[in-house]
Coordinates of all heavy atoms in Angstrom, one line a residue:
M271 N 8.0 8.7 -7.6 CA 7.0 8.4 -8.6 C 5.7 8.6 -7.8 O 5.5 8.0 -6.9 CB 7.2 6.9 -9.0 CG 6.0 6.4 -9.8 SD 6.2 4.8 -10.5 CE 7.5 5.0 -11.7
E272 N 4.9 9.5 -8.4 CA 3.6 9.8 -7.8 C 2.5 8.9 -8.4 O 2.4 8.7 -9.6 CB 3.2 11.3 -8.0 CG 2.1 11.7 -7.2 CD 1.8 13.2 -7.2 OE1 2.5 13.8 -6.4 OE2 0.9 13.6 -7.9
V273 N 1.8 8.2 -7.6 CA 0.8 7.1 -7.9 C -0.5 7.5 -7.5 O -0.8 8.0 -6.4 CB 1.3 5.8 -7.3 CG1 0.2 4.7 -7.6 CG2 2.6 5.4 -7.7
N274 N -1.6 7.2 -8.4 CA -2.9 7.5 -8.0 C -3.8 6.3 -7.9 O -5.0 6.4 -7.8 CB -3.6 8.5 -9.0 CG -3.5 8.0 -10.4 OD1 -3.3 6.9 -10.7 ND2 -3.8 8.9 -11.4
D275 N -3.2 5.1 -8.1 CA -3.9 3.8 -8.0 C -3.0 2.8 -7.3 O -2.2 2.2 -7.9 CB -4.3 3.3 -9.4 CG -5.2 2.1 -9.3 OD1 -5.4 1.5 -8.2 OD2 -5.8 1.7 -10.4
L276 N -3.2 2.6 -6.0 CA -2.4 1.6 -5.3 C -2.9 0.2 -5.6 O -2.2 -0.8 -5.3 CB -2.5 1.8 -3.8 CG -1.7 3.1 -3.3 CD1 -2.0 3.3 -1.8 CD2 -0.2 3.0 -3.5
D277 N -4.1 0.0 -6.1 CA -4.6 -1.4 -6.4 C -3.9 -1.9 -7.6 O -3.8 -3.1 -7.9 CB -6.1 -1.3 -6.5 CG -6.8 -1.1 -5.3 OD1 -6.2 -1.3 -4.2 OD2 -8.0 -0.7 -5.4
N278 N -3.4 -1.0 -8.5 CA -2.7 -1.4 -9.8 C -1.4 -0.5 -9.9 O -1.3 0.3 -10.8 CB -3.6 -1.1 -10.9 CG -4.8 -2.0 -11.0 OD1 -4.7 -3.2 -11.1 ND2 -6.0 -1.3 -10.7
P279 N -0.5 -0.8 -8.9 CA 0.7 0.1 -8.8 C 1.8 -0.2 -10.0 O 1.8 -1.3 -10.5 CB 1.3 -0.2 -7.5 CG 0.9 -1.7 -7.4 CD -0.5 -1.9 -7.9
P280 N 2.5 0.7 -10.3 CA 3.6 0.5 -11.2 C 4.7 -0.4 -10.5 O 4.7 -0.5 -9.3 CB 4.2 1.9 -11.5 CG 3.8 2.6 -10.3 CD 2.5 2.1 -9.8
A281 N 5.6 -0.9 -11.3 CA 6.7 -1.8 -10.8 C 7.8 -0.9 -10.2 O 8.6 -0.4 -10.9 CB 7.3 -2.7 -11.8
A282 N 7.7 -0.5 -8.9 CA 8.6 0.4 -8.2 C 8.7 -0.1 -6.8 O 7.6 -0.4 -6.3 CB 8.2 1.8 -8.4
L283 N 9.8 0.1 -6.2 CA 10.1 -0.3 -4.8 C 9.4 0.7 -3.9 O 8.7 0.3 -2.9 CB 11.5 -0.4 -4.4 CG 11.8 -0.7 -3.1 CD1 11.4 -2.0 -2.6 CD2 13.4 -0.6 -2.9
I284 N 9.5 2.0 -4.2 CA 8.8 3.0 -3.3 C 7.9 3.9 -4.1 O 8.3 4.4 -5.2 CB 10.0 3.9 -2.6 CG1 10.9 3.0 -1.8 CG2 9.3 5.1 -1.8 CD1 12.0 3.7 -1.2
L285 N 6.7 4.1 -3.6 CA 5.7 4.9 -4.3 C 5.3 6.1 -3.4 O 5.1 5.9 -2.2 CB 4.4 4.1 -4.5 CG 4.6 2.7 -5.3 CD1 3.4 1.9 -5.2 CD2 5.2 2.9 -6.6
N286 N 5.1 7.2 -4.0 CA 4.6 8.4 -3.3 C 3.2 8.6 -3.9 O 3.1 8.8 -5.1 CB 5.5 9.6 -3.5 CG 5.0 10.8 -2.9 OD1 4.3 10.8 -1.8 ND2 5.3 12.0 -3.5
T287 N 2.1 8.6 -3.1 CA 0.9 8.7 -3.7 C 0.4 10.1 -4.0 O 0.9 11.1 -3.2 CB -0.2 8.0 -2.9 OG1 -0.4 8.8 -1.7 CG2 0.1 6.6 -2.5
S288 N -0.4 10.3 -4.9 CA -1.1 11.6 -5.1 C -2.2 11.7 -4.0 O -2.5 10.7 -3.5 CB -1.6 11.7 -6.6 OG -2.6 10.6 -6.7
P289 N -2.8 12.8 -3.8 CA -3.8 13.0 -2.8 C -5.1 12.1 -3.3 O -5.5 12.0 -4.4 CB -4.3 14.4 -2.9 CG -3.0 15.1 -3.3 CD -2.4 14.1 -4.3
G290 N -5.6 11.3 -2.3 CA -6.8 10.4 -2.6 C -6.6 9.3 -3.5 O -7.5 9.2 -4.4
P291 N -5.6 8.5 -3.5 CA -5.4 7.4 -4.5 C -6.4 6.3 -4.3 O -6.9 6.1 -3.2 CB -3.9 7.0 -4.3 CG -3.8 7.2 -2.8 CD -4.5 8.5 -2.5
K292 N -6.7 5.7 -5.4 CA -7.5 4.5 -5.3 C -6.8 3.4 -4.4 O -5.6 3.3 -4.6 CB -7.7 3.8 -6.7 CG -8.5 2.6 -6.7 CD -8.8 2.1 -8.1 CE -9.6 0.8 -8.1 NZ -9.6 0.1 -9.4
G293 N -7.5 2.7 -3.5 CA -6.8 1.7 -2.6 C -6.1 2.4 -1.5 O -5.4 1.6 -0.7
F294 N -6.3 3.6 -1.2 CA -5.7 4.3 -0.1 C -6.1 3.7 1.3 O -7.3 3.4 1.5 CB -6.0 5.8 0.0 CG -5.5 6.6 1.1 CD1 -4.1 6.9 1.1 CD2 -6.2 7.0 2.1 CE1 -3.5 7.6 2.1 CE2 -5.6 7.7 3.1 CZ -4.2 8.1 3.1
P295 N -5.1 3.3 2.2 CA -5.5 2.9 3.5 C -6.1 4.0 4.4 O -5.4 4.7 5.0 CB -4.1 2.4 4.0 CG -3.1 3.1 3.3 CD -3.7 3.5 2.0
S296 N -7.4 4.0 4.5 CA -8.1 5.1 5.0 C -7.8 5.4 6.4 O -7.9 6.5 6.9 CB -9.7 4.9 4.9 OG -10.0 3.8 5.5
Q297 N -7.4 4.4 7.2 CA -7.2 4.6 8.7 C -5.8 5.3 8.9 O -5.5 5.6 10.1 CB -7.2 3.3 9.4 CG -8.7 2.7 9.5 CD -8.7 1.5 10.4 OE1 -8.0 1.3 11.3 NE2 -9.7 0.6 10.1
L298 N -5.1 5.5 7.9 CA -3.8 6.3 8.0 C -4.1 7.8 8.3 O -3.2 8.5 8.8 CB -2.9 6.1 6.8 CG -2.2 4.8 6.6 CD1 -1.2 4.9 5.5 CD2 -1.4 4.4 7.9
G299 N -5.3 8.2 8.0 CA -5.6 9.6 8.0 C -4.9 10.4 6.9 O -4.2 9.7 6.1
G300 N -5.1 11.7 6.9 CA -4.6 12.4 5.8 C -5.2 12.0 4.4 O -6.2 11.3 4.3
N301 N -4.4 12.3 3.3 CA -5.0 11.9 2.1 C -3.9 11.4 1.1 O -4.1 11.2 -0.1 CB -5.7 13.0 1.3 CG -4.8 14.2 1.1 OD1 -3.6 14.2 1.4 ND2 -5.3 15.3 0.5
A302 N -2.7 11.1 1.6 CA -1.6 10.6 0.8 C -0.7 9.8 1.8 O -0.7 9.9 2.9 CB -0.7 11.7 0.1
C303 N 0.2 8.9 1.1 CA 1.1 8.1 1.9 C 2.4 7.8 1.0 O 2.3 8.0 -0.2 CB 0.5 6.9 2.4 SG -0.2 5.8 1.2
I304 N 3.3 7.2 1.7 CA 4.4 6.6 1.0 C 4.3 5.1 1.1 O 3.9 4.5 2.2 CB 5.8 7.0 1.8 CG1 6.0 8.5 1.8 CG2 7.0 6.2 1.2 CD1 6.3 9.0 0.3
V305 N 4.5 4.3 0.1 CA 4.4 2.9 0.1 C 5.7 2.2 -0.3 O 6.3 2.6 -1.3 CB 3.3 2.4 -0.9 CG1 3.1 1.0 -0.9 CG2 1.9 3.1 -0.4
I306 N 6.0 1.2 0.5 CA 7.2 0.3 0.1 C 6.5 -1.0 -0.3 O 5.7 -1.5 0.3 CB 8.1 0.0 1.3 CG1 8.7 1.4 1.8 CG2 9.2 -0.9 0.9 CD1 9.4 1.3 3.1
Q307 N 7.0 -1.5 -1.5 CA 6.4 -2.8 -2.1 C 7.5 -3.9 -2.1 O 8.6 -3.6 -2.4 CB 5.9 -2.6 -3.5 CG 4.8 -1.6 -3.7 CD 4.3 -1.6 -5.1 OE1 3.2 -2.1 -5.3 NE2 5.0 -1.1 -6.0
Q308 N 7.0 -5.0 -1.7 CA 7.9 -6.2 -1.9 C 7.4 -7.0 -3.1 O 6.2 -7.1 -3.4 CB 7.7 -7.1 -0.7 CG 8.5 -8.4 -0.8 CD 8.2 -9.4 0.3 OE1 7.1 -9.4 0.9 NE2 9.1 -10.2 0.6
N309 N 8.4 -7.5 -3.8 CA 8.1 -8.2 -5.1 C 7.3 -7.3 -6.1 O 6.3 -7.6 -6.7 CB 7.2 -9.5 -4.9 CG 8.0 -10.5 -4.2 OD1 9.3 -10.5 -4.2 ND2 7.3 -11.5 -3.5
F310 N 7.8 -6.0 -6.1 CA 7.0 -5.0 -6.9 C 7.0 -5.5 -8.4 O 8.0 -6.0 -9.0 CB 7.7 -3.6 -6.8 CG 9.1 -3.6 -7.0 CD1 9.7 -3.4 -8.3 CD2 10.0 -3.8 -5.9 CE1 11.1 -3.4 -8.4 CE2 11.4 -3.7 -6.1 CZ 11.9 -3.6 -7.4
G311 N 5.8 -5.4 -9.0 CA 5.7 -5.8 -10.4 C 5.3 -7.2 -10.6 O 4.8 -7.6 -11.6
D312 N 5.2 -8.0 -9.5 CA 4.9 -9.4 -9.6 C 3.4 -9.5 -9.5 O 2.7 -9.0 -8.6 CB 5.6 -10.1 -8.4 CG 5.3 -11.7 -8.4 OD1 4.4 -12.1 -9.2 OD2 6.0 -12.4 -7.7
K313 N 2.8 -10.1 -10.5 CA 1.3 -10.2 -10.5 C 0.8 -11.3 -9.7 O -0.4 -11.5 -9.5 CB 0.9 -10.4 -12.0 CG 1.3 -9.2 -12.9 CD 0.7 -7.9 -12.4 CE 1.1 -6.7 -13.3 NZ 0.9 -5.5 -12.9
I314 N 1.7 -12.2 -9.2 CA 1.3 -13.4 -8.5 C 1.2 -13.1 -6.9 O 0.3 -13.5 -6.3 CB 2.1 -14.6 -8.8 CG1 1.8 -15.0 -10.3 CG2 1.8 -15.8 -7.9 CD1 2.7 -16.1 -10.8
Y315 N 2.4 -12.6 -6.4 CA 2.5 -12.2 -5.1 C 3.1 -10.8 -4.9 O 4.1 -10.6 -5.6 CB 3.3 -13.3 -4.3 CG 3.5 -12.9 -2.9 CD1 2.5 -13.1 -1.9 CD2 4.6 -12.2 -2.5 CE1 2.6 -12.7 -0.6 CE2 4.8 -11.7 -1.2 CZ 3.7 -12.0 -0.3 OH 3.8 -11.5 1.1
S316 N 2.6 -10.1 -4.0 CA 3.2 -8.8 -3.7 C 2.7 -8.4 -2.3 O 1.7 -8.8 -1.9 CB 2.8 -7.8 -4.7 OG 3.5 -6.6 -4.5
A317 N 3.4 -7.5 -1.7 CA 3.0 -6.9 -0.4 C 3.2 -5.4 -0.4 O 4.2 -4.9 -1.1 CB 3.8 -7.5 0.8
Q318 N 2.5 -4.6 0.3 CA 2.6 -3.2 0.4 C 2.6 -2.8 1.9 O 1.8 -3.3 2.7 CB 1.5 -2.5 -0.3 CG 1.5 -2.6 -1.8 CD 0.4 -1.9 -2.5 OE1 -0.7 -1.7 -1.9 NE2 0.6 -1.5 -3.7
L319 N 3.5 -1.9 2.3 CA 3.6 -1.3 3.5 C 3.5 0.2 3.4 O 4.3 0.8 2.7 CB 5.0 -1.7 4.2 CG 5.3 -1.2 5.5 CD1 4.4 -1.9 6.5 CD2 6.8 -1.5 5.8
A320 N 2.5 0.7 4.1 CA 2.2 2.2 3.8 C 2.3 3.0 5.1 O 2.0 2.6 6.2 CB 0.8 2.3 3.3
F321 N 3.0 4.2 5.0 CA 3.2 5.2 6.1 C 2.5 6.4 5.7 O 2.6 6.9 4.6 CB 4.7 5.4 6.2 CG 5.5 4.3 6.4 CD1 6.0 3.5 5.4 CD2 5.9 3.9 7.8 CE1 6.9 2.4 5.6 CE2 6.7 2.8 8.0 CZ 7.2 2.1 6.9
G322 N 1.7 7.0 6.6 CA 1.1 8.2 6.3 C 1.6 9.3 7.3 O 2.2 9.1 8.3
F323 N 1.2 10.6 7.1 CA 1.5 11.7 8.0 C 0.3 12.0 8.9 O 0.5 12.8 9.8 CB 1.9 12.9 7.1 CG 0.8 13.4 6.2 CD1 -0.2 14.3 6.7 CD2 0.7 13.1 4.9 CE1 -1.2 14.8 5.9 CE2 -0.3 13.5 4.1 CZ -1.2 14.4 4.6
G324 N -0.8 11.3 8.6 CA -2.0 11.8 9.4 C -2.3 11.0 10.7 O -3.2 11.2 11.5
S325 N -1.3 10.0 11.0 CA -1.5 9.2 12.3 C -0.3 8.5 12.6 O 0.7 8.6 11.9 CB -2.6 8.1 12.1 OG -2.2 7.1 11.4
D326 N -0.3 7.7 13.7 CA 0.9 7.0 14.0 C 0.7 5.5 13.8 O 1.2 4.6 14.4 CB 1.1 7.1 15.6 CG 0.0 6.7 16.4 OD1 -1.1 6.4 15.9 OD2 0.1 6.7 17.7
K327 N 0.0 5.2 12.6 CA -0.2 3.9 12.2 C 0.5 3.5 10.9 O 1.0 4.4 10.1 CB -1.7 3.7 11.8 CG -2.6 3.8 13.0 CD -4.0 3.6 12.6 CE -4.9 3.8 13.9 NZ -6.4 3.6 13.5
I328 N 0.8 2.2 10.8 CA 1.4 1.7 9.5 C 0.4 0.7 9.0 O -0.2 -0.1 9.8 CB 2.8 0.9 9.9 CG1 3.8 1.9 10.4 CG2 3.3 0.3 8.6 CD1 5.0 1.3 10.9
A329 N 0.2 0.7 7.7 CA -0.8 -0.3 7.1 C 0.0 -1.3 6.2 O 1.0 -1.0 5.6 CB -1.7 0.6 6.3
I330 N -0.5 -2.4 6.2 CA 0.1 -3.5 5.3 C -1.0 -4.4 4.7 O -2.0 -4.6 5.3 CB 1.1 -4.4 6.1 CG1 1.9 -5.4 5.3 CG2 0.4 -5.1 7.3 CD1 3.0 -6.1 5.9
R331 N -0.7 -4.8 3.5 CA -1.6 -5.7 2.8 C -0.8 -6.5 1.8 O 0.4 -6.3 1.5 CB -2.8 -5.0 2.1 CG -2.3 -4.2 0.9 CD -3.5 -3.5 0.2 NE -3.2 -2.7 -0.9 CZ -4.1 -2.2 -1.8 NH1 -5.3 -2.4 -1.5 NH2 -3.6 -1.5 -2.8
N332 N -1.4 -7.6 1.3 CA -0.7 -8.4 0.3 C -1.8 -9.1 -0.7 O -2.9 -9.0 -0.5 CB 0.1 -9.4 1.0 CG -0.6 -10.5 1.7 OD1 -1.6 -11.1 1.2 ND2 -0.3 -10.7 3.0
K333 N -1.2 -9.6 -1.7 CA -2.0 -10.5 -2.5 C -1.2 -11.7 -2.9 O 0.0 -11.8 -3.0 CB -2.4 -9.7 -3.9 CG -1.3 -9.3 -4.8 CD -1.9 -8.6 -6.0 CE -0.9 -8.1 -6.9 NZ -1.4 -7.5 -8.1
R334 N -2.0 -12.9 -3.1 CA -1.3 -14.2 -3.3 C -2.0 -14.8 -4.4 O -3.2 -14.7 -4.6 CB -1.4 -15.0 -2.1 CG -0.8 -14.5 -0.9 CD -0.9 -15.5 0.3 NE -0.2 -15.0 1.4 CZ -0.7 -14.8 2.6 NH1 -1.9 -15.1 2.8 NH2 0.0 -14.2 3.5
N335 N -1.2 -15.5 -5.2 CA -1.7 -16.3 -6.3 C -2.6 -15.6 -7.3 O -3.6 -16.1 -7.9 CB -2.4 -17.6 -5.8 CG -1.6 -18.5 -5.0 OD1 -0.5 -18.7 -5.3 ND2 -2.1 -19.0 -3.9
G336 N -2.2 -14.4 -7.5 CA -2.9 -13.5 -8.5 C -4.3 -13.1 -8.0 O -5.1 -12.5 -8.8
S337 N -4.6 -13.2 -6.7 CA -5.9 -12.8 -6.2 C -5.9 -11.3 -6.0 O -4.9 -10.6 -6.3 CB -6.2 -13.5 -4.9 OG -5.2 -13.1 -3.9
N338 N -7.0 -10.8 -5.5 CA -7.1 -9.4 -5.1 C -6.3 -9.0 -3.9 O -6.1 -9.9 -3.1 CB -8.6 -9.0 -4.9 CG -9.4 -9.1 -6.2 OD1 -8.9 -8.8 -7.3 ND2 -10.7 -9.5 -6.0
W339 N -6.1 -7.8 -3.7 CA -5.4 -7.4 -2.5 C -6.2 -7.7 -1.3 O -7.5 -7.6 -1.3 CB -5.2 -5.8 -2.5 CG -4.1 -5.4 -3.5 CD1 -4.3 -4.8 -4.7 CD2 -2.7 -5.4 -3.3 NE1 -3.1 -4.5 -5.3 CE2 -2.1 -4.9 -4.4 CE3 -1.9 -5.9 -2.2 CZ2 -0.7 -4.7 -4.6 CZ3 -0.5 -5.8 -2.5 CH2 0.0 -5.3 -3.5
T340 N -5.6 -8.1 -0.1 CA -6.3 -8.2 1.0 C -6.7 -6.9 1.6 O -6.2 -5.9 1.1 CB -5.4 -9.0 2.2 OG1 -4.3 -8.1 2.4 CG2 -5.0 -10.3 1.7
D341 N -7.6 -6.8 2.6 CA -7.8 -5.6 3.3 C -6.6 -5.1 4.0 O -5.7 -5.9 4.4 CB -9.0 -5.8 4.3 CG -10.4 -6.1 3.7 OD1 -10.6 -5.7 2.5 OD2 -11.2 -6.6 4.4
W342 N -6.5 -3.8 4.2 CA -5.4 -3.2 4.9 C -5.5 -3.6 6.4 O -6.6 -3.6 7.0 CB -5.4 -1.7 4.8 CG -5.0 -1.2 3.4 CD1 -5.8 -0.7 2.5 CD2 -3.7 -1.0 3.0 NE1 -5.1 -0.2 1.4 CE2 -3.8 -0.4 1.7 CE3 -2.4 -1.3 3.5 CZ2 -2.7 -0.1 0.9 CZ3 -1.3 -1.0 2.7 CH2 -1.4 -0.4 1.4
K343 N -4.4 -4.0 6.9 CA -4.3 -4.2 8.4 C -3.4 -3.1 9.0 O -2.5 -2.7 8.3 CB -3.6 -5.6 8.7 CG -4.3 -6.8 8.0 CD -5.5 -7.2 8.7 CE -6.0 -8.6 8.3 NZ -7.0 -8.5 7.2
Y344 N -3.7 -2.8 10.2 CA -3.0 -1.6 10.8 C -2.3 -2.0 12.0 O -2.7 -2.8 12.9 CB -4.0 -0.5 11.1 CG -4.7 0.0 9.8 CD1 -5.8 -0.7 9.3 CD2 -4.2 1.0 9.1 CE1 -6.5 -0.2 8.2 CE2 -4.8 1.5 7.9 CZ -5.9 0.9 7.5 OH -6.6 1.3 6.4
V345 N -1.1 -1.4 12.2 CA -0.3 -1.5 13.4 C -0.2 -0.1 14.0 O 0.2 0.9 13.2 CB 1.1 -2.1 13.1 CG1 2.0 -2.0 14.3 CG2 1.0 -3.4 12.5
T346 N -0.5 0.1 15.2 CA -0.4 1.4 15.8 C 1.0 1.5 16.6 O 1.3 0.6 17.4 CB -1.6 1.7 16.8 OG1 -2.7 1.6 16.0 CG2 -1.5 3.1 17.4
L347 N 1.7 2.5 16.4 CA 3.0 2.8 17.0 C 2.7 3.5 18.3 O 1.9 4.5 18.3 CB 3.9 3.6 16.1 CG 4.1 3.0 14.8 CD1 4.9 3.9 13.9 CD2 4.8 1.7 14.9
S348 N 3.4 3.1 19.4 CA 3.1 3.8 20.6 C 4.4 4.2 21.3 O 5.5 3.8 20.9 CB 2.4 3.0 21.6 OG 2.9 1.8 21.8

């Protein structure tokens, strides 16, 4: 499923983004990524884990109690 808005994702476990989607984790480099969602479709709590091809980083963020998404946090693989 190709997605162009990670801030308002569809209810799916795995998302493939279109180039330059809204909410893209910019430090991943490149312009697209693969996202795995936990509690996909849940409007109260959800988490996203993003992998890109432009770097050796993984990005993660979540939302709780219906709030907005947190800022992306990054883990660098070495």
Side-chain angles (χ1 to χ4, degrees):
M271 170 176 290
E272 192 168 283
V273 176
N274 60 14
D275 186 352
L276 290 175
D277 293 338
N278 298 293
L283 178 62
I284 298 177
L285 308 172
N286 180 28
T287 69
S288 58
K292 181 180 177 188
F294 180 73
S296 61
Q297 290 185 28
L298 286 185
N301 63 356
C303 62
I304 299 293
V305 176
I306 299 171
Q307 295 190 111
Q308 178 189 25
N309 293 338
F310 51 91
D312 186 343
K313 302 299 181 193
I314 296 176
Y315 175 81
S316 190
Q318 293 180 330
L319 180 67
F321 303 86
F323 61 86
S325 75
D326 59 352
K327 295 180 181 178
I328 296 172
I330 188 168
R331 69 178 180 171
N332 62 55
K333 63 179 178 176
R334 297 183 180 125
N335 300 321
S337 65
N338 293 327
W339 288 102
T340 61
D341 291 336
W342 288 103
K343 304 284 192 265
Y344 298 90
V345 175
T346 302
L347 305 174
S348 54

